[in-house]
Amino acid sequence: MKKISVKASKPYEVLIEQGILSRCGKLVSEVTKTRFAALVTDDTVDSLYSGKVIGSLEEAGFRVVKFVFKSGEKSKCSETLNRIYSFLAENSITRSDCLIALGGGVVGDITGYAAATYLRGLAYIQIPTTLLAQIDSSVGGKTAIDLPCGKNLVGAFKQPELVICDPLTLKTLSPEIVSDGMAEAIKYGMIRSRELFDIIASHTIDDYFDDIDDIIFRCVSIKRDVVENDEFDKGERMLLNFGHTMGHAIESFFHYETYTHGNAVAAGMHIITEQAVKHSECKAEALEALDRVITSYRLPLNTEAKISDLIPLCANDKKCESSSINAIICSDIGTSSIKKMPFEEFRAYMEA
Ligand code: NAD
Ligand code: GLY
């Protein structure tokens, strides 16, 4: 088993092992005194993994109640959240009990937010089942729901008690959802680690699983380092936004219907790096290597939308301050920095 200790305001561990799901009950029992848990999941994950997880929890002495919602980003909303609150109340969940998020980033984000707010906060455990959730969203304590006017607009920082990562669950993902998560893995390589980038680049979407434990371990280790230095997203954590400012603009321009998050981030990483090369702030070879790896995971390098249409949407990104933008630039593979620019300078930089 690979283990990563996260020393955030509340310390916890991320455990990575193929097959670990079948002994999650014992692991959960080691981080909480309660033997009453509310499992939250979506209908796709429910049919695949709830049985194994609940079986293991019951074997470890837990009584488990289960809340299932329809899979997809549309469910990450106040309506589902209210249904979760009602479910917790109906089942007399108390502040000393715990929530368990079993699923991708949607399940993790909404369950984490319910845990941050119900009864002014109770413990929760993350059991992520998508690549994106295993390498990114389950770690670091960002929780949120979407509003009709934008994604992740209501949220809280709430660190989990434990993250249990079973890479075998990735075997049931469609290649498109794996690609989506891989965009975030490529991002980690670009911002912090040439070694990770090279491991990802030595595979394609067809054989990525051969090194999956190592890829997850390296991504989570980078996220751990960043979160330990800047848990509340005031500085260094913005590096995790590489490719995301333009990525969010692309998602939003197409009303969240045409580009998935990972596809938009991949295009966003290419677009900003192409500009960095033009401004002699990044090596041309780094852009070529980035483009090769993006393509080998069947992710896009660009979008049909014009840059001039995307730039105004960049101003809505949460990483923006009133009149400036924090652009994340990679000068080479594994090396990144935050470039704070007045918005008009950013426009000129992107349109050059
Ligand atoms: P998701 O949770 O919607 O999962 C994608 C799809 O895969 C869903 O249909 C789900 O039912 C299905 N699925 C999940 N696990 C499966 C499995 N093992 N086998 C088969 N199907 C499975 O999406 P996601 O990509 O995991 O997460 C995206 C969400 O994460 C977004 O809401 C985004 O805002 C959020 N996010 C949060 C953070 C953070 O730091 N909190 C970081 C990045 C993204
Ligand atoms: N996924 C970005 C962050 O955790 O900050």
Side-chain angles (χ1 to χ4, degrees), residues 42-45 48-49 71-73 76 103-107 109 129-133 136-139 141-144 146 151-152 169-174 177 180 184 223 237 244 261:
D42 70 30
D43 52 2
T44 305
V45 179
L48 292 164
Y49 300 112
S71 72
E73 185 71 32
K76 207 176 100 177
V106 165
V107 171
D109 276 14
T129 62
T130 62
L131 181 57
L132 180 141
D136 191 348
S137 61
S138 63
V139 181
K142 279 191 185 175
T143 73
D146 303 333
K151 277 183 67 176
N152 295 324
T169 60
L170 307 182
K171 292 255 184 194
T172 50
L173 290 174
S174 67
I177 294 176
D180 241 33
E184 300 286 358
K223 181 137 191 191
R237 193 164 177 169
H244 282 58
H261 179 69

Side-chain angles (χ1 to χ4, degrees), residues 15-53:
L15 309 178
I16 305 161
E17 185 183 84
Q18 297 191 19
I20 198 172
L21 220 56
S22 54
R23 56 192 187 88
C24 65
K26 180 165 184 309
L27 298 167
V28 174
S29 74
E30 286 165 6
V31 297
T32 175
K33 288 203 184 79
T34 185
R35 290 297 174 263
F36 185 28
L39 181 87
V40 180
T41 189
D42 70 30
D43 52 2
T44 305
V45 179
D46 181 42
S47 62
L48 292 164
Y49 300 112
S50 281
K52 189 176 273 187
V53 168

Side-chain angles (χ1 to χ4, degrees), residues 96-275:
S96 46
D97 299 321
C98 71
L99 305 190
I100 299 178
L102 173 68
V106 165
V107 171
D109 276 14
I110 196 167
T111 309
Y113 189 61
T117 48
Y118 188 66
L119 302 178
R120 299 199 182 86
L122 72 164
Y124 79 113
I125 286 111
Q126 292 268 19
I127 308 186
T129 62
T130 62
L131 181 57
L132 180 141
Q134 295 190 352
I135 64 172
D136 191 348
S137 61
S138 63
V139 181
K142 279 191 185 175
T143 73
I145 58 163
D146 303 333
L147 294 182
C149 55
K151 277 183 67 176
N152 295 324
L153 290 183
V154 177
F157 288 97
K158 169 82 175 168
Q159 302 293 341
E161 302 297 308
L162 177 68
V163 181
I164 300 172
C165 240
D166 186 343
L168 281 185
T169 60
L170 307 182
K171 292 255 184 194
T172 50
L173 290 174
S174 67
E176 290 74 26
I177 294 176
V178 174
S179 289
D180 241 33
M182 218 28 111
E184 300 286 358
I186 295 167
K187 170 198 79 179
Y188 283 114
M190 283 298 291
I191 63 168
R192 265 297 156 77
S193 168
R194 180 183 282 274
E195 235 178 297
L196 168 62
F197 184 91
D198 288 345
I199 293 167
I200 297 169
S202 70
H203 295 286
T204 67
I205 187 68
D206 299 317
D207 66 354
Y208 81 96
F209 201 83
D210 295 353
D211 272 324
I212 195 61
D213 292 20
D214 194 26
I215 290 173
I216 296 169
F217 179 80
R218 286 171 186 271
C219 291
V220 173
S221 301
I222 293 171
K223 181 137 191 191
R224 182 264 320 271
D225 292 347
V226 171
V227 167
E228 284 183 354
N229 288 335
D230 177 26
E231 182 172 345
F232 298 106
D233 210 8
K234 305 271 186 235
E236 184 179 332
R237 193 164 177 169
M238 292 183 202
L239 292 176
L240 300 178
N241 205 37
F242 174 57
H244 282 58
T245 301
M246 197 48 79
H248 289 151
I250 294 169
E251 281 183 277
S252 161
F253 183 81
F254 292 99
H255 309 289
Y256 300 94
E257 278 161 8
T258 312
Y259 283 81
T260 59
H261 179 69
N263 276 251
V265 166
M269 290 192 288
H270 166 84
I271 292 168
I272 187 91
T273 307
E274 192 175 43
Q275 294 312 108

Side-chain angles (χ1 to χ4, degrees), residues 67-84:
F67 181 87
V68 183
F69 61 82
K70 192 172 173 330
S71 72
E73 185 71 32
K74 284 204 170 82
S75 291
K76 207 176 100 177
C77 62
S78 56
E79 201 254 323
T80 311
L81 181 69
N82 282 332
R83 284 173 46 227
I84 294 175

